Amino acid sequence: METKLPHIVVLGAGFGGLTFCQDFKGKAHITLIDRKNHHLFQPLLYQVATAALSAPDIAQPIRSILTDNDNVTVLMDEATGINLTEKSVSLKNGTLHYDFLILGLGGVTSYFGHPEWEQFAPGLKSLDDALTIRRRVLYAFEKAETEMNPQRRDELLTIVVVGGGPTGVELAGAFSELAKHVLVKDFQRIDPARARVILIEASTRVLSHLSPGLGDTARAQLETMGVEVKTSAKVKNIAHGFVELDSGEVIRAENVIWAAGVGASPLGRQLGVETDRAGRVKVAPDLSIPGHPSAFVIGDMANCVDKNGVNVPGVSPAAMQMARHVAEIIEDELLFPQHRQRKPFGYWDKGTMATIGRSAAVAKVQDFEFSGFLAWLAWLFIHLIFLVGFRNKVAVFLQWVYSYFTYKRGSRIITGQAGDAYLAEEETKNTPMVPPGHAH
Amino acid sequence: METKLPHIVVLGAGFGGLTFCQDFKGKAHITLIDRKNHHLFQPLLYQVATAALSAPDIAQPIRSILTDNDNVTVLMDEATGINLTEKSVSLKNGTLHYDFLILGLGGVTSYFGHPEWEQFAPGLKSLDDALTIRRRVLYAFEKAETEMNPQRRDELLTIVVVGGGPTGVELAGAFSELAKHVLVKDFQRIDPARARVILIEASTRVLSHLSPGLGDTARAQLETMGVEVKTSAKVKNIAHGFVELDSGEVIRAENVIWAAGVGASPLGRQLGVETDRAGRVKVAPDLSIPGHPSAFVIGDMANCVDKNGVNVPGVSPAAMQMARHVAEIIEDELLFPQHRQRKPFGYWDKGTMATIGRSAAVAKVQDFEFSGFLAWLAWLFIHLIFLVGFRNKVAVFLQWVYSYFTYKRGSRIITGQAGDAYLAEEETKNTPMVPPGHAH
């Protein structure tokens, strides 16, 4: 059974790694390694955090996606180190040698040198992150309902989102809808419509990767929905129950969500090659690691200037395009080993968009900018098309239709309380409480 | 705003407590208290544990269910003690006084005096239990794929279900389907079809609440699906990785699920009234606590012999019938306080059923017993009808149709690894591993 096929190791089953495995046509065996058993559709992760979708709706087992790709072995494991000279990858459960390596481990939440903020302000990169945020936010409303101290109650009903990029904008809009449209009917003592959602952005406007015009539109849409938008506001400190800004302003809030910083997977820094401030590997024009032509970096882990001088952004279409580029290079080289002539990568910007809420979104395709209902519909359909798995497409579509017409959220449940710091603290609290009119 | 309405406190938003809140027509204010924010449809919990359904599909926010019941206040809290003489309930966050009390806290998993088995053999009572089981079982298959030691690999691929009641039978059937039909296509080194699912029952047959004929049918259906059924087999010990039987037989298995014992919520034992061995409160014919006519116990917490001498079983229809009975008693008494004449509770057995797998189930309605495809269809529709929430009915129905035709499971994802004892152990392991044919 000993085959002498070349061995390609792919680290990470995100958009990049998965696309590579699906598109690679050459004669080689691929081993795909991921810490999780599922591919996650990150663009919809904020909808799990805001109780609109359930976790399995936006995740698909990697094995199941690649069930017909007989040349791919899937392992649930984690890379702990890479030796580019010996061409080997150390995993928690062993070591793999490779002929070609594809690094596509994506990003991690970065707290700009303040890792201590993480416990108070969770980021949003994994399903577990999303479920933590959902649990904490829903639980804060429950706590507010039994809270007698009005100041503490306001605190429980305040959500701060740090970072005015697409994730922050989408989260803030969705939290505002959750409070003002979904929860508002179901509480008796508190008024969820009075919940505050505050979006904090360090630069002068939200969605700074889009034009000032679209940024202004997004801001206006957010404010119409009741989100308080604070631009040119830098975070100085975060601890339990508050955010302090550079201006000295202190915002008391039970829930602070961190959507401000994305850094590359820490493995990039361990390679001993040049990385940028975010830890991304500075790749050669062909996406290989300079000096190591058998090792490629794709997706959010790569700092790439393409053949037209464009800084390739950390978005899923870029990761998928990079994966296809590398697949073609390796296919060619396996067929014509002597004729090594690699093309530089060129990024094709399909456009960017962000959704803000019901019937509200902004989009940019080439030089064409649009917003409102049309942009929102476009956003919905593009995300459905790219969502992996037929079952998930149908499930997400039906839930969106359901939520649109009923103003309800299908995943408004609190699970997994054990081990949550916020709840451990809660156990020790004991405020006297009686419902109005029933103190005997 | 001080109203002088009588105050009814309901503990537990299971089938009993929820039905009471929905059906009670009298003039009174109700406070419903539950530790969770959701009502759980327990009959389908095993489908979450076996990756067929996602957690939100079988749970509904309590507030959302009762959104139109303006006389009901919902609190997410936990009762820590009850004073029947002073008519008060202590909660984690305060104290409530009541005019009437409804205790419907349901059951807990009971290990028959061996609480130390719980960490090795999780029970199945809550969504968190189900997600723990799903995570551990799916992860065991992933670990088996990288395991080089054949004995350890067999252990990883063995699932033991303890207890041959409806839950145990349903779990064993669903695990066998998961391994033999769903996972079988997606692994390269292991053959999930070779996974062993072993069902252990202490008495002489499975489903002992049904006739011997139906029990035999269920056993035959399970064995056709590849489940090993061991009856008259008592568990002597459970520890990490094995189950020891009274016969001396030791079964090595990574996953052991406990479906053998259900005890009543521990609060019953703290009341200072008569309870049975399972901790259930022995109720008067009207379902009140003897000597305390304002306090009622319904559902799995009650040990009740009805007016016809029938021992009322711990099933959801019984809990709902008990809730309606108590609602009528209180309605009457509020209208005619002088005319206290309470009717005894009578249980109407609508029938019982258990599903075993695809097109396989057994059912008994009055004296009519049936099995096979018809029983399976009946099971599907009855569960859909009683599932709370329109969205959940549609979601579950569509997933069942999808799974039936594709042999896939929509919720095959591993989330929430942190804090899991099984995984902590795994971190320290380091077996050398290379894929076949790629050791360089």
Side-chain angles (χ1 to χ4, degrees), chain B residues 282-317:
Chain B
K282 294 199 173 175
V283 293
D286 63 347
L287 302 176
S288 68
I289 299 175
H292 300 280
S294 318
F296 298 86
V297 183
I298 61 177
D300 293 3
M301 263 187 97
N303 176 328
C304 172
V305 180
D306 89 339
K307 62 181 179 186
N308 304 312
V310 174
N311 272 301
V312 182
V315 296
S316 51

Side-chain angles (χ1 to χ4, degrees), chain A residues 284-287 304-312 325 343-348:
Chain A
D286 63 349
L287 303 176
C304 172
V305 180
D306 89 339
K307 63 182 178 186
N308 304 314
V310 174
N311 273 301
V312 182
H325 185 79
K343 279 192 293 189
F345 174 68
Y347 171 60
W348 183 52

